[in-house]
Every structure is written in C-alpha cells, then in structure tokens.
Amino acid sequence: MPDKQHFLKFIFTTTRGLVLLNAGIISLIVAIFGTLSGPMREWGVADAVIRTLGMDMAPADREGRIVMLYHSIAIAFVALVTYLILHVVKVDERRARNIRGVVTLGYLLVVVFGLGFAYWGHNWAFHGAFIAGMTLMFYGGVLLAIALWPWNKDYRVTDKAYAHTRKGVDLERMAFWVMAVATLGSALFGAIPGAYFSNGFEVFLAEDGVRHVYHSPMQLAVIGHLHIMLTLIGVAVTLIIGRWFDWKGITHKIGIPLFIAGTIILTAGVWAVVPFHLIAHTIIYVGAVFAMTAALMLVIFGWTKMIREGCAESGKRGLFAGICALIRDPLRFGALWQMVFMNFCVSGVGIFMAIKLEDIFRAIPFREERITLTGHWHILSVLTGTIVLFYIMSELFPLKGKVRKLFGWGVILSSDLAFAMVTLFSLKRLWVTEEGQQPFVDFTMLTAETGLGILEILLAIFMVLLLFRLFRGKIKGMSVLLLCSSLFLFSCGDPTPDRDPATVEMNLTVDPEAWATVPAGPFVSGLNEHEATVPYDYEIMVTETTYEQYARYLNEALKAGKIEVKDNAVWGSYPGDEFHDGRHEFPIPEGSYKYYDLAGQKTRIQLADGRFGVVDGYERFPAAYVTWMGAHGYAEFYGWRLPTIFEWEKAARGPDGRSYPFVEEPSPQSANYYKSRDPFDESNGTTPVGFYNGQVHGDFATHDSPGPYGCYDQAGNVAEWIGELHAGSHLRLIYGGSMMEYTYNLRSHTENSGLPEYASHQVGFRCVRGGNPEQHHGTPKH
C-alpha cells in the first residue's frame, strides 16, 4: 500500500482521487440513510441503525432532516459533476486546481456538518459550518463560470465539425458556461427562501404544498429551485457525456444551440414562477422541448457512432449486426439508454400526469399524489447518477472484458427494474382498486428494493475493486458474486381476506358514546409549531364514529326522509359551496351527493329489508366508506359538526406541542399503522375504536394510548375528515393518518386531502359540539 502522504496526495489533488472519495461518500450516505424508510423500516433495520449510530430522530424534525439530507446528497453530487466538467473541458490548470480545492472543502463541510446537525442533535455550530460549506460551493461555482468563459481566445474552435460561431467561439463551451451561470442564479433563487424556511424554526417541503390553494412567493421559489436544480444537473451530465462521445457533426450543430436556448428558457421560466406563476409553466414547457430535443440529437449521434464502429470492426452488416454493435459495450450504451429510459419513466409519465391531473391525480388522496411526485424526483436523480457512474467506470477507472459487461448490464438492468417498478407503483390507481392494492404494492416495492439492492451491491463491489487496484497492487484471480433475483406471480385484484373479529378475544373498555372536553386556550400548531388559539371550550368524540353509530344514523335518517338508497350507495342532500373559480377548484352546487358506499369491498354496513345493519363483530370498528358529505350529514343530523383544523389538532396535541397524541413515537402497542403487526394487520384492517387501551386482546398486549384530553385513535386506524372549508378549493382535508400509512404520516399536523365524495376503507370521522368555530385566532395552513 502506498504511504500515507502519497495516498492523501492522490485522494485530494487528482481528479481520479477526488471522484473516488466523492463516490465513496455518496455511496455511504445512501447506504446508511436509505435504511431509515420504506421496507427497511418495516423489517426493523431502521431501528437497529438508529440505535447503533445514536441518531436523534425526533418526529417533529422529520421535514428538517429531509431538507438537510437532500442538500447533502445534492451538493456532493454537484461537486462530482464539477470534477468531471474540469476533466472534459479545457481549463487553465491553476484555476482548475483552485476550483477543485474550494469545492472539495465546501461539499465536505456540507455533508459532515449538515448531516451531523440534522441527525445527531441540533448543534448550531454544525449548522454554521453547513452554511459555510454551501457558501464555498457557491464561490467554487463562480470560479468555474469564470474559467469556462467561452469568449476566451485561447479556446477558439476552427474545426467545422463542431458547433461554433463565425469568430470561433465554442458553442459547446458556451453551453457549459450558460449552465454554470444558470445554476448560480438558481442557487440564489433557493438560498433566499432557504434562509427563511430552513433557519431551524421553519421548514417547507415542496411536495407538501402541492394542493395548497395559495403559495407565498417563498414557497413558489422553493418549488422552482428544486425543479431547476435537478434540470440543470441533468443538462451538465448530458454535456459531459457529449464530450465523452466526441459529439460532432450535424447533430452537434443542432443540439448544442438547442441546449443553450433550452437552458436559458427553462431557467427563465422557473424564475418566473414567483411573479408570473400562471404563465411560467408554458415557458418551462418550451424550454423542456428544446433541451429534450438536444438530448435526442446526442443519443442519435452516439448510437449511430457505436453501430458504425461495431459493424466496421466485425465486418458484418444488417439489423442484427447493428443491434449487436450497439449493445456490445454496456457502459457506453447504458449512458445513452438511461437518457431514453428517463423519458419513459419520468418525462412521459410527467406529461401524462399533467394532462390527466384533474381527472385522475387530483381525484386520489393527496398522500398518493405526493408519493407519485417524490417517486419521479427520485427516479430522475438516481438515473442521472447511473449515467455518471457509466462514465466513471469507463473513463476514470476503466473496467474491461467480462467484468465491464457484468457491471454495465448489472447497473442497467437493476436500476431500470427498480425504476420501472416505482413508476408502476406511482400509477397503480389507474388499474388497481384501493382495497386490492396491497399485493401490488408489496410486489412493486419488493422488486424495486431488489433492483436497488443489486445496484448498491454492484457499486460496493466496484468501490472495493478500485481500492484493491489502487492500493493493493494488481489482483491475480478474482471471483465475481453473481446475484440472481426471481419475480413471482401475484394478483392485484382482490384484497387479503379479513380476519374475523370473533377469533380475537377483545377487552374493549373505551365508550364510543363518550365525549371529551377541550378547554379554551392556546396550543402549538402545525409543522413549524406556531402558536394558535381556540378561544372557546368544546367537546369532541372520544373515539371515531363506529359502524354501529353510523348504521343507527342511516336508519333514523332514512325514516325521516333525509337520505335515499340508489346505485348501491346512500345519497343525501348538501347545500353546496361558494365557488371562487380557483385554479384547480371544481364547483360543488346544491344537490344530492353520495354519503356511504354500500359496494365497498370492505364495507361493514348492509341494507336488508329496508333496514341498515352491521356485519356481526364489526359494530365497534370505525365507520369507513363514509364520504365527507356523509360525515357532514351525520353531524348535522344530530346538531353537531365536523371539527376545524384547530379543533382537531388541539384535541390531538394539547398545550405542549407533541407530535403524536400519546407523546412518544407510535409503536405496535399504541397505534394502528402500516405493518404495525396488530391482529388485523395482514389485511390492512382497522382495529376497533379504543383498541389501544392498555388491555390484552387475544395474545396482543396494548398500551393505554389516549391523547391529552382522552381521545383515542387520532393517530392511525382510519384517517379523519375535517369540516373546515377553504376558499378556492373543493377538496376536503383529512388528518390523523390511517392503518395504511407510515408513522411519520400519523403526526397530528400532517395534512392529507381528497374529494368530498371520496369513500375509502382508510377514512372515517369524529364530531365536535359546542363552541363557535368562527372565532379562530391563528392562521390555518392554506
């Protein structure tokens, strides 16, 4: 092994060493923090990692942690892209050395102290070091833009095969420079709202505000910043691949000007989101067409070149020979193929979603739309990473022979399998019923995790191989671990059979007819914990409304002529909403609306001989398949009402600002959530109201888990309709999280939403009475 001085010189002064260090750090971050969510959390891996590393995972800080994690990975990747730009573009070596030094120090400060601040206690000195690292990264970007100045006479181009002006200005260099300048401006575009939101007291995640009727200029800037930075990184990586392929000729002369124009238009469109958000998307679409067409020119050139060279070498012609020539080098093929695949999994799906937004994606609960959005962002990010990985494996640390083919095809197949599954998962509502989606979710998520797992293992093997090559000399004889995964047949049409409640001996002690009194006064509200006040006493139901209670109401309302049964559903009247002609608002006029879905696959209320009854054993389970209209009708019939945001949240959080009603993070003994392993968990079923009462049900022991005023099940079981309406939106809010959500979605401030006629086995309600909901002191989220 080389001595320590030689090792450090290699790592910190050479492009190959810096790339190796950077890739290792990014891989380590992904490996560790990737265990904290998804199936890894279900399998208990997350808890083990948290305990082993001593992480501070306060529920209230989740959004802040995610912001810091996103920035740590993104900044490290930007540093990697900077190294590669300096590797492929001619730059004065002295300037290149300065840029590499500044960027390296910057991203290391961001990663070490940003993650340290977020996951190991809020040491504000760490936060200051994180900001210092971000500042150094920006300064490194300024130095890069200066070094890339395209009008420098030393970098004039005379070769007619490459795009340039009459005076010899290299247009490809100009494309790099425009991208760098746009990135600097877009960084400031995010830094300004970042200084407001990410100061340790306020946090805003772009995906959390998707359905909000109104966005502040700061929120719009954050949303725009996220999108443009991902886009500019994609442009930079594409230009690097163009240099790798020695892109030239007619496609170069078409593509490079399109990249320049597309980058400028896209950036201007995103910046215009704040002052002119209604027309900004049109500008963005125009820029996207330019950039995507430019990328297509590169793909055409690259694949044509690979086919021509391969056929010339083999001496064969024809379609089959061309295909063989194209795929003979999976690293070069994969870099371009991932750009094409990206259009199928990201761009194409995104356009489809934009077209069908109101018809399909705004009709599903907000939680589902948010999952779809974050899925697409992650696909885009990691696909871009695999393209860079192909370049590194081919040019900086070249693999050869069978090992090259193994790694190349392994990365292509594993990553594309994972992303295809994520895309299918995102679009599952198009063909899978809500009740029957669990087998499909299990299959797609397990397959996606398998693909990503193989990808990470391949990357780990590659890193180990590099270390041996660099520091252990030449390896003689190497065994390769072959990883195989098998897909299994599955059905997504029918839900898992429900467990019969009669098979569980339950000791239910909480009275569903009881009400809890919530006193007037202030409380801590929202993600950012601002003070709000409910200036009156009121009462709220101790439990969610049960099937027994709702069936009783249906019988009384039917007798009184307030409801009717048609089309296998219960219908009733609603006076309508005031229509404000909001951008995504649908009118809700006075009329008859669906109250209860009698055809739901897991419905427990049946109509026989003109009378509603509950399936035996489900009397004390929460009433689901009740629409917002049906919940409103129930409350109005008895002179009650659905809670406002503040009323519901205060009952759950009390005066001490707790994230969950029972203070601590949910456990299988305190709440019903996704994979919580309660007796009804296999079928994603609800538990009876007040199930978590400290009693043993069958062989399942529970903790007594009331909220601060004695309410049960405000976290998990079924999510709950909120009665408060917001001007400019027809959607209704849902709080509390359901049995199909992860624990972080059970936090008392987490917002979901759905159509007022949405009926689901995941959504129920509870009522309030007394007080005056017009007397609000505070600001609701919208």
Side-chain angles (χ1 to χ4, degrees):
M1 180 177 179
D3 58 47
K4 183 177 180 180
Q5 184 178 0
H6 180 76
F7 171 79
L8 293 177
K9 182 177 180 180
F10 170 79
I11 288 293
F12 289 104
T13 64
T14 68
T15 297
R16 297 173 76 231
L18 289 169
V19 167
L20 179 63
L21 175 66
N22 183 283
I25 289 174
I26 293 176
S27 301
L28 188 62
I29 294 172
V30 172
I32 293 175
F33 295 93
T35 65
L36 302 182
S37 61
M40 293 294 185
R41 175 171 287 275
E42 299 161 26
W43 299 336
V45 176
D47 292 336
V49 171
I50 292 169
R51 286 195 304 270
T52 302
L53 299 180
M55 292 182 175
D56 180 2
M57 300 286 283
D61 296 336
R62 178 177 181 271
E63 278 73 11
R65 288 195 298 270
I66 290 176
V67 168
M68 299 295 270
L69 178 60
Y70 281 177
H71 279 83
S72 295
I73 295 175
I75 290 297
F77 191 75
V78 167
L80 176 61
V81 171
T82 302
Y83 299 148
L84 298 182
I85 290 173
L86 295 173
H87 184 68
V88 299
V89 180
K90 291 181 180 179
V91 173
D92 177 77
E93 181 53 34
R94 180 180 57 83
R95 285 183 170 176
R97 189 165 53 249
N98 290 339
I99 294 168
R100 286 193 291 263
V102 170
V103 166
T104 300
L105 179 58
Y107 94 81
L108 289 175
L109 287 173
V110 168
V111 168
V112 173
F113 293 103
L115 295 178
F117 175 83
Y119 288 87
W120 283 276
H122 300 333
N123 184 319
W124 287 97
F126 283 16
H127 192 273
F130 167 81
I131 297 299
M134 297 285 278
T135 304
L136 282 173
M137 285 295 297
F138 185 85
Y139 177 58
V142 172
L143 295 179
L144 178 64
I146 294 172
L148 291 173
W149 182 250
W151 290 275
N152 189 322
K153 294 181 179 180
D154 294 336
Y155 304 117
R156 293 293 172 89
V157 174
T158 58
D159 191 333
K160 294 182 179 180
Y162 299 94
H164 61 272
T165 67
R166 291 182 179 180
K167 293 185 177 181
V169 176
D170 184 352
L171 292 185
E172 189 171 271
R173 189 182 190 89
M174 184 181 292
F176 276 105
W177 178 79
V178 168
M179 175 277 303
V181 173
T183 301
L184 290 170
S186 299
L188 289 175
F189 190 64
I192 294 171
Y196 173 75
F197 284 114
S198 299
N199 60 6
F201 303 99
E202 299 262 354
V203 176
F204 176 78
L205 285 184
E207 59 264 33
D208 285 341
V210 171
R211 288 191 180 177
H212 288 185
V213 180
Y214 305 107
H215 292 97
S216 69
M218 293 293 191
Q219 292 172 333
L220 290 170
V222 168
I223 295 170
H225 168 73
L226 170 64
H227 285 78
I228 191 59
M229 295 303 283
L230 283 174
T231 301
L232 291 172
I233 289 172
V235 169
V237 170
T238 306
L239 290 171
I240 290 169
I241 300 303
R243 280 289 172 117
W244 177 21
F245 276 81
D246 190 23
W247 188 14
K248 58 185 175 183
I250 185 63
T251 58
H252 189 259
K253 295 177 181 179
I254 296 173
I256 291 300
L258 286 176
F259 261 131
I260 296 172
T263 302
I264 294 172
I265 296 171
L266 274 167
T267 305
V270 170
W271 293 359
V273 163
V274 174
F276 309 112
H277 67 273
L278 293 180
I279 64 169
H281 283 86
T282 302
I283 301 173
I284 292 169
Y285 292 150
V286 173
V289 169
F290 278 70
M292 291 174 66
T293 304
L296 176 62
M297 293 294 103
L298 172 58
V299 171
I300 292 173
F301 171 82
W303 282 359
T304 301
K305 180 178 181 179
M306 292 174 66
I307 293 172
R308 185 172 59 249
E309 292 176 349
C311 289
E313 185 176 323
S314 66
K316 298 179 180 179
R317 296 291 185 270
L319 178 61
F320 181 74
I323 294 175
C324 291
L326 181 63
I327 65 175
R328 67 174 184 161
D329 183 355
L331 297 184
R332 285 162 59 84
F333 168 76
L336 298 177
W337 163 251
Q338 296 295 67
M339 295 181 190
V340 176
F341 187 77
M342 191 182 297
N343 287 329
F344 288 107
C345 272
V346 181
S347 303
V349 172
I351 293 171
F352 172 76
M353 288 179 63
I355 295 172
K356 294 292 185 179
L357 180 65
E358 302 295 350
D359 297 337
I360 298 176
F361 294 98
R362 283 284 157 85
I364 63 179
F366 173 42
R367 177 179 66 92
E368 297 272 359
E369 185 179 358
R370 185 171 56 207
I371 289 171
T372 299
L373 288 170
T374 53
H376 285 306
W377 290 338
H378 284 82
I379 292 172
L380 177 61
S381 301
V382 182
L383 273 175
T384 305
T386 61
I387 294 171
V388 171
L389 183 60
F390 288 133
Y391 178 80
I392 293 172
M393 286 180 168
S394 181
E395 297 301 301
L396 293 181
F397 301 99
L399 298 175
K400 298 180 181 179
K402 293 181 179 180
V403 173
R404 184 183 181 96
K405 292 183 182 295
L406 173 66
F407 275 88
W409 286 115
V411 171
I412 293 172
L413 296 176
S414 61
S415 63
D416 289 2
L417 173 66
F419 302 138
M421 290 299 105
V422 172
T423 300
L424 291 175
F425 170 82
S426 300
L427 301 176
K428 62 184 180 297
R429 284 297 188 118
L430 298 181
W431 64 81
V432 184
T433 63
E434 184 171 310
E435 298 88 346
Q437 69 177 255
Q438 193 54 48
F440 185 81
V441 169
D442 290 341
F443 169 75
T444 52
M445 287 297 94
L446 179 60
T447 309
E449 289 291 329
T450 300
L452 289 175
I454 294 173
L455 176 62
E456 290 178 5
I457 290 172
L458 287 172
L459 181 57
I461 295 173
F462 176 65
M463 295 296 294
V464 171
L465 179 60
L466 290 187
L467 292 175
F468 271 92
R469 279 185 174 180
L470 292 169
F471 308 119
R472 293 292 183 183
K474 194 173 181 179
I475 300 175
K476 295 182 179 180
M478 181 181 66
S479 61
V480 180
L481 176 63
L482 298 178
L483 301 172
C484 300
S485 62
S486 59
L487 301 180
F488 53 88
L489 297 176
F490 66 97
S491 168
C492 60
D494 299 319
T496 305
D498 296 317
R499 180 168 183 175
D500 186 347
T503 64
V504 182
E505 183 180 347
M506 290 181 283
N507 300 304
L508 303 176
T509 58
V510 180
D511 182 8
E513 303 293 338
W515 293 75
T517 298
V518 181
F523 72 103
V524 177
S525 174
L527 166 64
N528 294 313
E529 300 186 348
H530 58 275
E531 184 175 289
T533 299
V534 178
Y536 49 81
D537 296 345
Y538 63 98
E539 291 183 295
I540 186 168
M541 293 172 64
V542 167
T543 72
E544 295 151 335
T545 304
T546 65
Y547 276 116
E548 183 177 45
Q549 291 170 322
Y550 201 76
R552 181 195 311 153
Y553 152 72
L554 291 178
N555 285 318
E556 294 175 4
L558 184 63
K559 183 178 180 180
K562 298 291 186 180
I563 60 173
E564 63 176 332
V565 179
K566 63 179 181 179
D567 301 329
N568 215 7
V570 177
W571 295 72
S573 63
Y574 180 68
D577 298 339
E578 182 180 353
F579 184 57
H580 301 85
D581 199 21
R583 185 180 177 194
H584 298 293
E585 182 184 15
F586 290 162
I588 306 292
E590 180 181 1
S592 180
Y593 292 89
K594 184 185 291 186
Y595 273 22
Y596 185 81
D597 185 5
L598 291 166
Q601 291 184 8
K602 292 177 178 285
T603 185
R604 308 306 181 195
I605 295 180
Q606 300 174 339
L607 178 64
D609 300 325
R611 185 170 181 79
F612 295 96
V614 182
V615 176
D616 287 345
Y618 288 97
E619 292 82 1
R620 294 185 68 167
F621 281 71
Y625 289 105
V626 181
T627 67
W628 185 92
M629 300 296 191
H632 176 272
Y634 174 92
E636 187 178 55
F637 187 82
Y638 294 111
W640 307 329
R641 53 190 171 79
L642 296 178
T644 65
I645 294 174
F646 284 168
E647 288 170 342
W648 191 96
E649 191 180 1
K650 181 174 183 180
R653 303 187 74 175
D656 54 12
R658 61 187 66 180
S659 294
Y660 299 98
F662 29 75
V663 183
E664 72 277 359
E665 191 163 350
S667 70
Q669 287 72 43
S670 63
N672 182 7
Y673 53 90
Y674 188 64
K675 302 293 186 183
S676 60
R677 302 184 293 279
D678 63 77
F680 305 96
D681 187 55
E682 286 300 315
S683 59
N684 275 316
T686 55
T687 49
V689 298
F691 181 79
Y692 298 93
N693 59 353
Q695 302 296 312
V696 178
H697 309 288
D699 59 355
F700 187 81
T702 66
H703 298 159
D704 193 20
S705 306
Y709 301 107
C711 295
Y712 285 81
D713 294 318
Q714 280 194 276
N717 212 19
V718 290
E720 301 177 20
W721 288 116
I722 298 296
E724 187 173 349
L725 304 182
H726 290 279
S729 176
H730 61 285
L731 296 169
R732 302 309 197 252
L733 296 177
I734 304 169
Y735 272 65
S738 77
M739 72 289 189
M740 292 188 69
E741 305 201 48
Y742 291 111
T743 55
Y744 57 79
N745 278 330
L746 272 56
R747 291 174 300 168
S748 300
H749 56 72
T750 300
E751 178 184 298
N752 196 357
S753 63
L755 296 174
E757 288 190 279
Y758 173 66
S760 167
H761 68 303
Q762 301 182 57
V763 182
F765 69 100
R766 72 179 75 211
C767 300
V768 298
R769 64 188 183 190
N772 182 359
E774 300 300 322
Q775 299 177 26
H776 276 316
H777 290 187
T779 304
K781 292 187 177 185
H782 292 348

